[in-house]
Amino acid sequence: MVENVSSYAEYHASEMTEWEFLNEVVERADCGILLDVNNIYVSSQNHNFDPFTYVNAVPAERIAQIHIAGHSRFEKYILDTHDHPVLEPVWQLYARTIERAGPTATLLEWDDNIPSFEEVHAEALKANQFLQAAAKPAVRELAETTR
């Protein structure tokens, strides 16, 4: 798998967007994507693009794992620090990602300022609620096709 990065600098001129580049890499390598939705959000804020455009452009069938995390906001940019709870805009991107890719293995990253087990567990349970909601239409569809 290839993971998308969080970026803090841009080229002055580029032939393709970050998501177009990622798509080209995974197509040529014939590999999966470890899609870090927090990285997408961080980059979108640092470079002023719509993060849903990125999520919608990634080939859903190649998403093999998803990462979610918190980040830190500074005066001119935000940084992928994995030291805060997942923020609502990242949850929204996560929901859209699993809406497209279906229930997918998810990793909650929290590397610094680690809170109590209860707080981390609550974040994991929240992710699980999104996964269960995404699984329900697939279960209904399977039940309808087996009738």
Side-chain angles (χ1 to χ4, degrees):
M1 288 188 290
V2 174
E3 180 175 2
N4 59 298
V5 299
S6 52
S7 58
Y8 307 98
E10 289 182 289
Y11 290 103
H12 291 289
S14 184
E15 293 181 12
M16 59 179 63
T17 64
E18 183 180 315
W19 52 91
E20 289 169 334
F21 178 77
L22 176 65
N23 292 349
E24 187 72 20
V25 168
V26 299
E27 185 63 33
R28 289 184 185 206
D30 192 23
C31 67
I33 300 172
L34 187 163
L35 193 68
D36 191 317
V37 294
N38 188 60
N39 286 356
I40 293 171
Y41 181 76
V42 166
S43 295
S44 77
Q45 297 302 292
N46 290 335
H47 306 306
N48 197 30
F49 64 81
D50 179 5
F52 288 94
T53 299
Y54 192 130
V55 167
N56 290 331
V58 172
E61 68 279 3
R62 292 205 180 263
I63 299 172
Q65 188 178 51
I66 303 170
H67 284 185
I68 53 176
H71 53 266
S72 296
R73 183 171 291 282
F74 295 93
E75 189 174 321
K76 294 186 178 185
Y77 61 93
I78 63 174
L79 187 64
D80 181 36
T81 52
H82 302 173
D83 63 353
H84 289 85
V86 178
L87 295 180
E88 187 57 33
V90 176
W91 284 120
Q92 291 172 7
L93 285 174
Y94 178 61
R96 176 62 184 144
T97 301
I98 58 175
E99 181 181 297
R100 293 189 66 239
T104 304
T106 300
L107 175 68
L108 169 63
E109 298 178 285
W110 208 319
D111 303 332
D112 201 9
N113 297 328
I114 299 172
S116 68
F117 171 80
E118 290 76 22
E119 188 173 345
V120 175
H121 188 237
E123 289 284 279
L125 291 175
K126 188 171 183 177
N128 198 44
Q129 289 174 339
F130 283 99
L131 290 170
Q132 289 176 350
K136 286 180 183 174
V139 169
R140 270 183 280 187
E141 184 177 308
L142 178 62
E144 290 173 7
T145 59
T146 57
R147 287 184 196 172

